[in-house]
Amino acid sequence: MPRVVCIYFPTLPTDRIRRHGEGTVPAEQPLVVISKSGSKRWVSAADTAARKLGLKLGMPASKAQAIVANLTMIDADPAADAAALERLALWALRQYSPVVAVDGVDGIVMDTEGADHLQGGEDLLISGLVNGLRARGLTARAAVADTWGAAHAITRLTSAETTVVPVGGVARAVTGLPIHCLRLPPDTIHGLRVMGVETVGELSAMPRAPLTLRYGPEVGRRLDQLFGRMAEPIEPLRTPELVEAAKNFQEPIGTAKTIAKYVRRLVGELTAKLEERGLGVRRSDLVIHRVDNTRQCIRAGLAKPVRDPARLSKLLCDRIEKIDPGFGIERLVLVAIMAEPLEERQVASSLIEEQVVDVTPLVDILGNRGQRLYRVTPVASDVPERSVKRIGPTADETGATWAAKWPRPSRLLANPERIDVTALLPDQPPAVFTWRGKRRRVKRADGPERIFGEWWIRPREHAAVRDYFVVEDEAGERYWVYRAGDGVDAETGSHLWFLHGVFG
């Protein structure tokens, strides 16, 4: 079942103004946006500081200015707000889902079917999304539900930053919400309230025929969309900058062989258009339009810009089994969501050509199967856990190297594990140690290698030291163990022993 995410920006105009530095507005100073019609001026947007002082949307501008003496008032700019919302939708399109659209004047909506697992699940998806927006100076609330209507209503009528409605739980989540969450015209809402209808539950319990006769089919349509009885497809956002190729079918298609044939044709058209612009694709979306007015999407990402039809076709065709054609597919659209300049390189000519193995095709195949790929690179630090960091599998070399003073284990534990040790202080290696419930007798040992703390990173490490030993047990297994402290002074460490790595 498709899952829909709605993101609501309650203070988008004021956040936009602060982000782009329109005027000098200190962060702690209340800010409101003023709309006007003729001689009438009212508050159309207010930041968090202004709301805490009692200012509300729709309040006359003169009254707001009388309540807050140092209030900053800026004229509304709907065009700039709409442009900012479209930029946010494009950002979400590239980062999270192939199907993203603008939701009214203050939100965006996206279909996350097949994409949430890449973020670790729905909870992590929306919490990471809200936190990422907060880091960019934007206040947002997000909700996941089975329907667009339910997610839209929950984000705007609840105070929670993130809400995940369980599959099949829409009715329980929205029954008590007020009827203005249904996105009905204001005069219809007013008429329903005159009749005494206040909540979605009360409205859904009423006979449908009298409602349709009095207010038209819109009330019933919105109720059906809210509860998932009627589909509400999301029309994906597309801009002139996005390169795409499409194919409409007079007769619906459904077999994997036929789908693969037309996917290859679309890839050929797309790469030809990219070649005209000197671009290569980094992320592409195949949008499948079914005859029942629903959509499915397949996203393929690449490690670097590519314009090779065979390579892109393989990535997409390998995932055709994930497509459910239902009663048939009437349209296929292939879009280059992310495209970058593709530089042509001169091939060197020599008697003996140097063969350079390109691993990016393998990286692309594994990455599109949901595997998280990385490699490690050296970092200038003597502390083992700080001496490496993860980088992308195809990232450029950093140029750093590890110091070759002492051997380092091939497997470094993410966190050193406590071991029980029998050893003579202060500088003798262990004679016996117990790790993960197994007792090991040490036959050979080398060390100590003393590593000092990095006091310029953490002041608490000013006196800290570790003494590392390479030890070998009776079975020939070699381990990297250390004692926290110098074995004499308690300020240098706890004098407990830890296992930090395994050789071989």
Side-chain angles (χ1 to χ4, degrees):
M1 176 181 291
R3 296 284 279 173
V4 179
V5 174
C6 276
I7 308 161
Y8 169 52
F9 302 94
T11 58
L12 178 62
T14 57
D15 290 343
R16 176 185 61 78
I17 290 168
R18 290 192 188 277
R19 287 184 70 200
H20 294 282
E22 297 184 16
T24 304
V25 185
E28 68 279 359
Q29 186 168 342
L31 171 65
V32 296
V33 175
I34 304 299
S35 295
K36 58 183 178 180
S37 177
S39 60
K40 184 179 179 182
R41 301 172 72 244
W42 68 93
V43 175
S44 60
D47 68 354
T48 304
R51 291 171 186 260
K52 288 181 179 179
L53 294 174
L55 302 188
K56 298 180 180 180
L57 303 187
M59 176 182 290
S62 57
K63 183 177 180 180
Q65 199 168 17
I67 294 175
V68 181
N70 64 336
L71 182 64
T72 300
M73 306 172 69
I74 295 179
D75 291 336
D77 188 350
D81 294 337
L85 193 60
E86 184 173 322
R87 288 194 298 272
L88 289 169
L90 286 173
W91 169 76
L93 177 69
R94 294 186 174 96
Q95 297 294 327
Y96 291 98
S97 171
V99 181
V100 179
V102 173
D103 184 18
V105 298
D106 53 9
I108 59 178
V109 59
M110 57 187 183
D111 184 345
T112 61
E113 181 184 13
D116 57 324
H117 72 282
L118 299 176
Q119 308 294 332
E122 292 177 340
D123 290 288
L124 292 178
L125 168 67
I126 61 173
S127 61
L129 196 153
V130 169
N131 290 334
L133 291 168
R134 184 187 294 112
R136 291 168 171 81
L138 294 167
T139 302
R141 296 202 293 264
V144 186
D146 293 340
T147 65
W148 182 350
H152 174 96
I154 290 169
T155 55
R156 287 155 177 81
L157 296 176
T158 61
S159 58
E161 275 195 344
T162 60
T163 305
V164 177
V165 179
V167 175
V170 167
R172 178 178 296 181
V174 303
T175 299
L177 296 180
I179 56 174
H180 69 260
C181 73
L182 289 172
R183 296 171 288 170
L184 292 170
D187 55 344
T188 303
I189 296 294
H190 177 71
L192 290 170
R193 284 177 172 166
V194 170
M195 295 173 57
V197 180
E198 293 291 342
T199 67
V200 171
E202 294 171 350
L203 182 61
S204 62
M206 296 180 67
R208 184 66 60 87
L211 286 173
T212 304
L213 183 64
R214 184 165 184 174
Y215 299 106
E218 185 68 8
V219 174
R221 186 174 71 90
R222 286 302 190 188
L223 280 173
D224 289 341
Q225 289 175 343
L226 178 69
F227 289 105
R229 296 189 289 262
M230 178 184 291
E232 187 178 9
I234 301 170
E235 189 63 36
L237 179 69
R238 294 292 181 259
T239 65
E241 294 79 17
L242 294 178
V243 184
E244 68 175 47
K247 174 65 177 178
N248 296 317
F249 304 102
Q250 293 182 351
E251 294 293 333
I253 64 172
T255 64
K257 184 177 180 180
T258 305
I259 296 172
K261 180 179 71 173
Y262 285 106
V263 166
R264 294 188 185 97
R265 292 184 183 180
L266 289 177
V267 169
E269 295 179 21
L270 184 71
T271 52
K273 293 180 179 180
L274 291 170
E275 187 174 6
E276 293 176 0
R277 304 189 186 190
L279 301 174
V281 63
R282 281 289 308 277
R283 185 171 297 162
S284 63
D285 291 338
L286 178 65
V287 184
I288 301 101
H289 298 253
R290 306 196 311 185
V291 294
D292 59 356
N293 203 25
T294 60
R295 296 182 181 87
Q296 287 184 298
C297 297
I298 293 177
R299 170 163 285 186
L302 298 110
K304 62 182 182 181
V306 169
R307 208 164 52 219
D308 181 6
R311 184 167 162 189
L312 185 56
S313 296
K314 177 174 175 55
L315 292 178
L316 292 170
C317 291
D318 282 349
R319 303 179 64 194
I320 284 179
E321 71 275 3
K322 296 182 178 295
I323 298 175
D324 178 11
F327 295 106
I329 297 170
E330 61 181 3
R331 178 177 168 85
L332 290 175
V333 182
L334 182 61
V335 188
I337 295 298
M338 289 180 63
E340 298 177 359
L342 181 60
E343 298 179 358
E344 301 292 346
R345 296 184 178 180
Q346 177 69 36
V347 178
S349 177
S350 64
L351 293 176
I352 302 176
E353 299 287 352
E354 294 184 1
Q355 184 177 4
V356 179
V357 178
D358 186 5
V359 299
T360 53
L362 177 61
V363 170
D364 294 337
I365 292 172
L366 296 177
N368 283 281
R369 291 176 181 173
Q371 304 293 328
R372 293 186 177 271
L373 306 176
Y374 64 89
R375 74 173 197 267
V376 295
T377 188
V379 177
S381 176
D382 287 331
V383 179
E385 56 266 36
R386 297 178 191 156
S387 64
V388 296
K389 69 176 180 179
R390 295 182 179 183
I391 59 175
T394 60
D396 294 333
E397 296 290 344
T398 61
T401 57
W402 283 294
K405 302 176 185 176
W406 292 80
R408 290 289 184 261
S410 56
R411 178 190 170 198
L412 191 69
L413 302 184
N415 296 297
E417 297 184 12
R418 173 77 185 279
I419 57 175
D420 295 326
V421 168
T422 300
L424 296 176
L425 293 178
D427 56 0
Q428 294 299 310
V432 177
F433 70 94
T434 302
W435 177 50
R436 295 182 178 178
K438 183 177 179 181
R439 189 171 183 268
R440 295 169 171 84
R441 184 178 298 278
V442 176
K443 301 298 291 184
R444 298 177 184 83
D446 189 14
E449 174 194 358
R450 177 157 294 182
I451 293 178
F452 294 89
E454 296 175 335
W455 54 267
W456 56 92
I457 296 177
R458 297 177 65 189
R460 290 185 301 170
E461 297 182 10
H462 189 273
V465 298
R466 293 178 184 173
D467 282 343
Y468 279 87
F469 295 86
V470 178
V471 298
E472 182 179 328
D473 65 9
E474 296 172 310
E477 300 290 340
R478 299 169 68 232
Y479 305 92
W480 205 38
V481 301
Y482 75 85
R483 181 186 60 235
D486 61 4
V488 178
D489 191 350
E491 291 186 0
T492 61
S494 63
H495 295 164
L496 298 176
W497 286 84
F498 299 85
L499 189 144
H500 204 168
V502 180
F503 292 88

